[in-house]
Every structure is written in structure tokens, then in C-alpha cells.
Amino acid sequence: MADPAAGMNLGHAVVLLSAAVVAVPLFRKLGMGSVLGYLTAGVIIGPFALGMIGDAEAILHVAELGVVMFLFIIGLEMRPAKLWKLRKEIFGLGAAQVVTASVLLTLTAIAFGIAPAVAFVGASGFVLSSTAVIMQTLDERNEINTPHGQRAVSILLLEDLAIVPLLAIVAVLGTALGTAQDGPPLWQTIGFAVAAVVGVILAGKYAINPIFRQLAKYGGREVMLAAALLVVCGAAWALSLGGLSMAMGAFLAGVLLSDSTFRHQLEADVDPFRSILLGLFFLSVGMSLNLGVVVTDWRWVVGGVVVFMLVKAIGIYTIARLFKAKHPEALERSALFAQGGEFAFVLFGAAMMAGLFDARTAAIFTAIVILSMVATPLVTAVVSRFFLKEAEIDVDEVDGVDRAQNLRERVLVIGFGRFAQVVCQPLLARDVDVSIIDMDVEMIQAAGNFGFKVYYGDGSRLDVLRASGAETAETILVCVDKPEAADRIVELVKAEFPLTKLFVRAYDRGHSIRLINAGVEFHIRETFESALAFGEHVLKDLGFSEDEARETIEDVRRRDEERLTLQVTGGLQAGRSLWRNNTSTPQPEPYVKPRREARALNEDTAEVMVAEDEERRQEQA
């Protein structure tokens, strides 16, 4: 075991990596996400539990680079024009949320008997949500580039900016109350901050691209990697000297380089470091939780976590609704932003330097913030499971979305993704009346902008099928992208509406076989015909004549149909000889050769065996 008092050594690295390797897969399997796994593992191995690592603060300082690199990568995806479009969300929505939550939390703390100045600083620290927790959660859900994900990023950017005036207010409060230690005047602090921002902008605009061009020409792979890390760390360090957050510096550098020709190379170089350091950051936050303070002042700590998270969530939900967010998005944002964050540690440290906090107060507020970060993955999981499902189904309040009811058209289309959108074109060209249902609310609204009326409905439910006119429709087109859902719809239609024809989008060969066995009128694998058309154009480009290309494609189509026919009765391994490969595939032979020749059981089987023998002879020739 690593000696916790021996500084950082290889043993500590083994402990950290072991904790991550064990905890993260376990918590992901339980559906709780990797963040909670890292935080819990950090608490267990930290100095206040098993004590396997003693200096959590030293690790935290290094691991903060993970958050810095994460924001740099986000900045690379956020071009200046795109960032300019988000200005209303940043300075409107973000500022409204920060101010509202800060006022509510300050009043709540004062109501519990805390001095106004202490209450304000503690509340303001809790208002600054954890960039690492929120961005990691959005990243795992692939929601960073979605509209609500972009609004979340905008709020986080405003919170990063808010650390500057908050630090200034802490210094002013310390001076006014006569508790502050000697420090630089306010104008000097603001001047340093402005100079740091201007310096990073000028370097990103005029210096970095020429330097990278020279390094790409004369340097090596390792030099380019070092330069990428230098850009990230240099920008973060420059803004930290000016009193701003390091994450803001890295984000600004990423935005300035988002139009650079080296953008993808920078992202590829930085991403591996970001992943491991971000995990280390969560581990170190867990290790920083002082369990002694939690036990001694458990009433203040537990009560503070519950009350602060609840009050902040109420404020966030209210602001979200005032800014016209739908109920599901407002509820999800409330759960996601209801915690404190890593910038609270900076603010609380400044409050101690200004004499506003004593050691006990700082420890209690720090424990409240850390526990709120630990609780956030659990809160978001509970909200998503028990509240958001019902909110998503309740579409009555959503503009431009109507439930499927009393539809009576000739063709019913279930699922309106990219496949169905093309399928509908020839039908509409011949004035065929169609009804369309789908479950994606955002897609339904987007389709409305292009002149399509799509109704909300789950085609795998019998009541929805009846309301959508499945009983009177001549044909039902099942165009959903999930094979399990398609199978369920086919089963219901065949059982309840046996006279209705079924045309089904198949996912793969296995799904095709199931659809054939189910007796649908027609099915097609979603990529088959497009792949054949693609291959035909490739053959023509390679110099084959149009007739040769067309004959070849027809041969591929014929062999595929024959192979599928054999697979329906013989399983997926049947008809292997009909499938062309770019290597010679040996035919499997039995361990003990049979004593007698194989004989066909019927005429059809005999014809297949003769065809396969002939095919093998041709290939050998």
C-alpha cells in the first residue's frame, strides 16, 4: 500500500488508477454515471476514510488541468460567430440565473442565523455550479451540441465570468468590515484581468497560427503535442494571473483557435490528457471531503446540502420557465445545476484571506459544496427516471405538436426520420394521402417548419395505432430506426389488423429474416439499395462500362436474394458460398469424416447442393 505521508509516488498512482478502474465501470453498470463513481472512489481512498492518499489538495491542483483542457476542447467547437449568437443566453439567461439563485440562497442562509456577509459569500460560492460535473454529464449523454446543451454551456460561461466581480466583492467586504489583509487595490486587480484577456486574444489571433505552421514544417510529432499543451496551459495561466478562472482562459484560447487549420490536430492531442486528468479531478474532489467535519457538524452540512440544492433548483426552474424553456428542459436544468462547484473553493479561500470566514466555516461550506457535487448524478438520475419520462409524454403544452387522434388516411407512416422523409416524396408526388406519427417532439416541430404535419404517437401501442387509423389504412409503413420497436409494431398489426399491408424498414439481415417469417408484404434493409447505387458509380468511375456495372449490380442483388432465401430456413450461416470475400474463406470440415456421402432430403435441397458444388468448381477453376 502507498504510504500517504510519503508524497506522491508510483504507489499512489496505482491506487488512483485502481480506484478509477474499479469504481467507474461499476457505477456505469448501475446507471449512475462515471462522475459519481470517481467521487465515491475518491472519498473511500482519501485521507478522511482509508487514508491511502494523504495530500488530496496537491492532486487537486494538478487535476484541475482536466477541467481546463475540457473547456479548451469545448472552445474549439465554439466558433466566434456561434459564440456571438449565444450572447443573449450568456448575459441574459446566465446572469438572471446567477443573480436569482444568489439572492435566494443568501436570504435562506440569513434566515438560518448566519451573518449577512458570510451568508452572501457562502451562497455565491454555491451559485457557481460545477463546470466539470455538468460538462461531463452532457458529454456522456452526447448533448453538448444540442440546443439545451448550448444553453447550459452559456450559463456556465457566465458563472465563470462571475468569479471576477465576486472576488472583488469579497475584497470590498473584507475592507469594509476591517477584516481584510493587505492586498492590491481593486483597480489594479481589474486592470490585470483586462490585460490578461487582451493578451490571450492577441496571442491567439496573431501568434499561435504562424508558430504552429513553423512547428508543423520543422518540428516533430512530440513538438506539436508539447505546443498544444503549451497553448492550453499558457492561456489558463495567463488568466489566472489576472484573477480570472483558468478554465475561462482555456475556453477563450479554444474559441480563438476554432477557425484554425490545426483545430482537429489540437483536439486530438489534448483529448487523451483531458480524459485522464478530468477523472483525477473528480477523485481529488472526493478525497477533499472532510468526513470529520461532516460528522461533527452534520446538522449544518446535511441541512445545508438539502436546503441549498432545493432553493437553488427552485430559482433555476423559475428562471428557465420565465425564459420560455419547456417543463422537461427546466426540470432537467434544475437538477443538473443545483450543486456547487469547484470555483467555490477559490471564493472560500479568498473569504478566508479577507477574514470573512474562519477555518470551521470554510470547512462546513466546502463540505456542503462537495456533497452537493456527489449528490448531483443521483439527483439527475432520479429526475430523469421518475419525472422526465412523464414530462416527455405529456406533449399537450408543446407548441406545434398534436397527439394522433381520429386519423383516417390511405397510408399510415410510423416514424419520420431521414428514411421516411424520402419514402414520402413519391407518395406525395402522386397525391397519396398519408398520416405520419413519431415520438420525437423536436423532430415534429422541425418537420412543421418544412410543411409536414406529424402527429405525436408511439406506434408500438395498440391504442395509438387505432387512433392513427391503422384499422382503416390500406398500407402501414414502419420506418422506425429501432428493430425491436419495428418487431413490436408488426406483431400488433398482424394480430389486430390482419388485412392491412405492412411495408417495413429492416435494420440488418437478421431483422429481414424476422420480418419475412412475420409475413410482411415488403421489407428492405435500410442501407442495401443505397450501397448498391454507390458501388455502381464506383465501378463506372474505375472504367467499367455502364452495361458491365449494371450487370454486376444485378448479379450482387440476385446472389443476395438467394442467400437470404437460404438463411430464412438455414440460419445466418447458410449460403456462405454466395457471399464474395477479399480473402479465401476455408469451408469448415467435420472432425470425423462421415462414412457415407451426404444425400439430399428433398428435391429443393438437391438443387441447392448442386448449385453450391457448381459454384465451388467455378471458384477453384
Side-chain angles (χ1 to χ4, degrees), residues 77 84 86 89 92 97-99 167 195 250 259 278 317 330 393 458 483 485 516-517 535 540 550 555 571 585 601:
E77 301 295 332
W84 177 250
L86 293 175
E89 283 78 8
Q97 178 171 308
V98 168
V99 172
L167 288 172
D259 290 322
L278 196 60
Y317 181 87
I393 294 175
D458 182 359
I516 293 173
N517 291 331
K540 293 177 183 177
R550 184 171 57 253
D555 178 66
T585 304
L601 297 177

Side-chain angles (χ1 to χ4, degrees), residues 38 66 69 270-280:
Y38 282 121
M69 292 178 181
V270 171
D271 190 64
F273 295 92
R274 185 269 301 181
S275 300
I276 192 67
L277 287 173
L278 196 60
L280 186 61

